[in-house]
Amino acid sequence: MRSLAPIATVLAVIVALWYAAAVWMNAQWVYDQAARAGVEVTFGQMVVDTMAQERPVLPVPHQVFAELAKSTVGMAVTSKKSLVYHGWITISATLLGFAMGTGFGRLLAVGIIHNKAMDMSVMPWAIASQTVPILAIAPMIIVVLSSVGVQGLVPKAIISAFLSFFPVLVGMVKGLRSPDGMQLDQLATWNASRTQVFWKLRLPSSMPYLFASLKVGIAASLVGAIVGEMPTGAVAGLGARLLSGSYYGQTIQIWAALFAAAIVAASLVMIVGVIERATLKRMGMA
Amino acid sequence: MKDTMSQAVIEAKGVNLVFETGDGPVQALKDVNLVVGRGEFVSFIGPSGCGKTTFLRAIAALEHPTGGTLTVNGMSPDEARMSRAYGYVFQAAGLYPWRTIAKNVSLPLEIMGFSKAEQADRVDRVLELVELKGFGRKFPWQLSGGMQQRASIARALAFDADILLMDEPFGALDEIVRDRLNEEVLKLWARTGKTICFVTHSIPEAVYLSTKIVVMSPRPGRITDVIDSPLPRERPLDIRDSREFIEIAHRVREGLRAGHGDAV
Ligand SMILES: Nc1ncnc2c1ncn2[C@@H]1O[C@H](COP(=O)(O)OP(=O)(O)OP(=O)(O)O)[C@@H](O)[C@H]1O
Ligand SMILES: [Mg+2]
């Protein structure tokens, strides 16, 4: 409970700054409107107006949250305007991409620690892959795949996998290599095979590392899915919501979608965290 | 007893071991000659860096001599390892936190492909041997350091190797626990008739436990004295106040000092 006070303080400061910034940034439009209509606005009038615009430069918090509430609990989830509907589209691509990416990352990691050639060659490519700007290749992936008839969920999941395999690869290699010399010698005295060393020691030892990278990976997956929804003229998903909002200058809609994405990201990371704690506790490693 | 004692279990003839390191070769063992008979309890004592661990690891085929011959049960150390000739107890217990004590003890048995029933049988037997009966379902973190080390000894005993190699197994424990465990190791040795090689830094520990004390000295690591203990096999703790005990301890101390003297 004691930790709540500082968090609340910081939050209050942020919200206050946000309101101040919104008033400052939206004021021009209020004055322009008044000038065009040939009327005078008082300062108080101006402040009230900046918080009630339909397309403000920067919407105020209560507008964003009203929009968020309206588009989640305020309408049927089947509605094309429901953020639950769009959120679910994005989440499903995220989860599929996360499964593919983390699976791929784990496979590569296993290969790297068991195969000298892979150890020497895979990492540089993996690192290079992450320096490619995802925004640049996302449209290519979508276009290429759709030309061979793959559309919808899968192309987005691939982009999401492209971002999430890397942290898992790095974490898993480190984790699989975490057993120390004594532990490996111990197994050598029992004449254990490499497969046995892997299943009995390396894999269980890697769990804390795996979970740490899964948390990074799930967030990266979400970013990948959202980016995958942007260039395609996709009609559904949080990314599409962001994009259509910016086409039509619907800043409130953009911000609501942004917050929805943030909430989804936080929830996904938290779910991984809960599984992590439960697993490591059961393994006596927490 | 006499003729089984004379059977050589470990035989080192002119063993040399040189580590190639970044700043040149390090001679860890120089011309080591030693015969360990069946059922003996041999302690290795000497200052840090004299090659005690290296020699034990060479017996276990974790290091390979660069010269001389070393046989274990008449085989090369590698063959001996593959025929499960020895159990090795490291300084740290090295139990897996995600396994119960029983599961930790059965780990080598799983690896060696014993049947489930056989595993359970043997785990029960060795846990009783190290007086950890009833702790099989506990996890390592629920046990004290001394109990963990006992579990690791049980693990080394589980697969019937007739040699037990122990590298400062109680080095990290306090004196009182150590005394108790030393007594237990002796009992265990009497009951199982294993051949034990035991590395230690403690003179009383070496004298109390051993039938043979190997004194080593560093730079290069070599054996400076081998003392056959006249103490009886049956050893109550208060034997440490006897004249014989003090005499042997004195000879070990002299040996260590001499080793230091001519190294300077
Ligand atoms: N893997 C290795 N590579 C290079 N040098 C090594 C290696 N292992 C041991 N040495 C060197 O060999 C010598 C003997 O080491 P060893 O560990 O056998 O000593 P020790 O008698 O067990 O010492 P301590 O009592 O401190 O455990 C030391 O000089 C050490 O630095
Ligand atoms: Mg040592």
Side-chain angles (χ1 to χ4, degrees):
Chain A
M1 274 300 110
R2 215 178 325 143
S3 64
L4 224 56
I7 294 176
T9 313
V10 172
L11 197 64
V13 170
I14 291 174
V15 170
L17 282 176
W18 185 351
Y19 272 107
V23 170
W24 180 64
M25 291 168 86
N26 300 340
Q28 194 57 48
W29 190 80
V30 177
Y31 287 130
D32 287 352
Q33 287 294 336
R36 209 165 300 159
V39 291
E40 287 284 314
V41 283
T42 63
F43 181 76
Q45 187 64 46
M46 180 276 288
V47 169
V48 172
D49 273 9
T50 55
M51 296 186 191
Q53 296 172 8
E54 210 173 302
R55 293 173 187 185
V57 177
L58 177 65
V60 288
H62 67 254
Q63 282 179 305
V64 173
F65 287 103
E67 168 73 16
L68 206 51
K70 192 183 83 188
S71 52
T72 50
V73 293
M75 60 179 68
V77 296
T78 47
S79 159
K80 291 281 181 279
K81 284 185 173 168
S82 165
L83 275 178
V84 176
Y85 163 76
H86 291 286
W88 172 244
I89 303 261
T90 304
I91 290 173
S92 47
T94 303
L95 293 181
L96 180 60
F98 180 67
M100 288 166 28
T102 54
F104 183 58
R106 271 178 276 200
L107 273 183
L108 280 182
V110 172
I112 283 178
I113 63 146
H114 280 116
N115 183 299
K116 190 116 193 146
M118 278 185 78
D119 185 17
M120 312 283 279
S121 60
V122 171
M123 235 1 150
W125 284 103
I127 292 168
S129 78
Q130 299 304 295
T131 63
V132 174
I134 190 68
L135 274 171
I137 61 162
M140 294 194 293
I141 293 176
I142 306 266
V143 168
V144 168
L145 284 177
S146 91
S147 76
V148 296
V150 182
Q151 273 171 326
L153 198 60
V154 175
K156 289 193 284 180
I158 287 176
I159 294 166
S160 151
F162 185 85
L163 288 186
S164 63
F165 90 93
F166 186 68
V168 173
L169 169 63
V170 173
M172 199 67 185
V173 167
K174 186 143 177 64
L176 291 174
R177 290 207 169 124
S178 66
D180 60 27
M182 191 208 81
Q183 290 176 299
L184 294 171
D185 283 344
Q186 177 107 69
L187 286 166
T189 67
W190 301 325
N191 207 17
S193 68
R194 273 155 74 98
T195 325
Q196 285 170 329
V197 173
F198 179 80
W199 289 107
K200 308 265 184 220
L201 177 62
R202 288 193 193 275
L203 192 64
S205 304
S206 73
M207 284 304 141
Y209 298 84
L210 173 65
F211 275 110
S213 48
L214 285 182
K215 280 197 222 164
V216 181
I218 190 91
S221 280
L222 181 67
V223 171
I226 290 174
V227 168
E229 284 163 351
M230 288 182 139
T232 47
V235 286
L238 291 176
R241 237 9 224 168
L242 283 171
L243 202 67
S244 74
S246 77
Y247 278 158
Y248 303 111
Q250 298 286 356
T251 44
I252 300 178
Q253 179 190 322
I254 297 177
W255 280 84
L258 271 179
F259 268 85
I263 291 166
V264 168
S267 312
L268 290 174
V269 172
M270 243 159 64
I271 291 169
V272 175
V274 167
I275 298 171
E276 171 184 34
R277 257 197 307 270
T279 310
L280 295 187
K281 194 148 185 259
R282 259 198 65 211
M283 291 179 68
M285 295 167 96
Chain B
M1 208 74 217
K2 261 263 141 39
D3 60 299
T4 54
M5 286 283 278
S6 60
Q7 230 177 304
V9 172
I10 297 164
E11 205 167 2
K13 282 196 203 122
V15 167
N16 284 293
L17 202 151
V18 178
F19 287 111
E20 294 300 336
T21 69
D23 8 283
V26 173
Q27 180 130 31
L29 294 173
K30 183 171 194 269
D31 194 26
V32 170
N33 294 291
L34 185 72
V35 177
V36 176
R38 183 163 309 284
E40 275 198 278
F41 196 127
V42 182
S43 285
F44 296 83
I45 190 164
S48 196
C50 70
K52 306 180 294 289
T53 298
T54 306
F55 187 58
L56 221 58
R57 287 173 61 85
I59 296 171
L62 295 172
E63 307 288 356
H64 294 89
T66 46
T69 57
L70 180 61
T71 59
V72 178
N73 281 345
M75 300 174 263
S76 77
D78 273 308
E79 287 163 347
R81 176 167 64 97
M82 284 184 232
S83 67
R84 301 164 197 163
Y86 63 84
Y88 200 117
V89 180
F90 292 82
Q91 182 163 4
L95 301 171
Y96 294 180
W98 56 89
R99 284 175 170 249
T100 61
I101 296 302
K103 279 296 211 175
N104 265 291
V105 173
S106 71
L107 177 63
L109 304 175
E110 281 172 33
I111 286 171
M112 294 170 184
F114 285 82
S115 76
K116 277 265 184 287
E118 178 85 31
Q119 285 180 26
D121 243 34
R122 281 166 178 264
V123 168
D124 282 348
R125 208 179 65 217
V126 291
L127 281 183
E128 193 168 350
L129 215 50
V130 299
E131 301 185 4
L132 277 182
K133 204 178 169 193
F135 287 93
R137 303 173 76 133
K138 296 256 190 269
F139 282 89
W141 51 269
Q142 295 172 300
L143 268 57
S144 70
M147 289 162 100
Q148 290 186 22
Q149 198 52 278
R150 287 211 300 250
S152 93
I153 293 172
R155 185 178 54 186
L157 291 171
F159 50 94
D160 286 340
D162 52 8
I163 305 169
L164 200 53
L165 306 173
M166 303 169 98
D167 190 354
E168 299 189 50
F170 311 137
L173 304 174
D174 67 66
E175 195 103 10
I176 297 160
V177 177
R178 232 169 134 139
D179 278 351
R180 263 244 321 286
L181 290 176
N182 282 339
E183 250 187 304
E184 278 178 24
V185 166
L186 271 187
K187 268 195 242 158
L188 200 129
W189 171 62
R191 255 188 291 174
T192 57
K194 303 218 185 260
T195 309
I196 300 184
C197 293
F198 191 97
V199 170
T200 179
H201 270 130
S202 152
I203 297 175
E205 192 171 72
V207 180
Y208 177 62
L209 292 172
S210 328
T211 58
K212 185 182 267 178
I213 302 157
V214 177
V215 182
M216 299 181 70
S217 86
R219 284 173 301 264
R222 65 200 185 281
I223 294 176
T224 50
D225 198 5
V226 178
I227 304 164
D228 282 303
S229 171
L231 296 178
R233 285 192 149 229
E234 193 77 24
R235 298 175 184 183
L237 265 181
D238 57 20
I239 203 171
R240 294 184 297 185
D241 300 322
S242 74
R243 228 196 50 224
E244 270 171 322
F245 187 97
I246 293 165
E247 271 171 18
I248 305 166
H250 183 73
R251 187 170 156 198
V252 174
R253 193 169 295 115
E254 287 299 307
L256 289 172
R257 197 170 297 155
H260 242 268
D262 60 42
V264 177

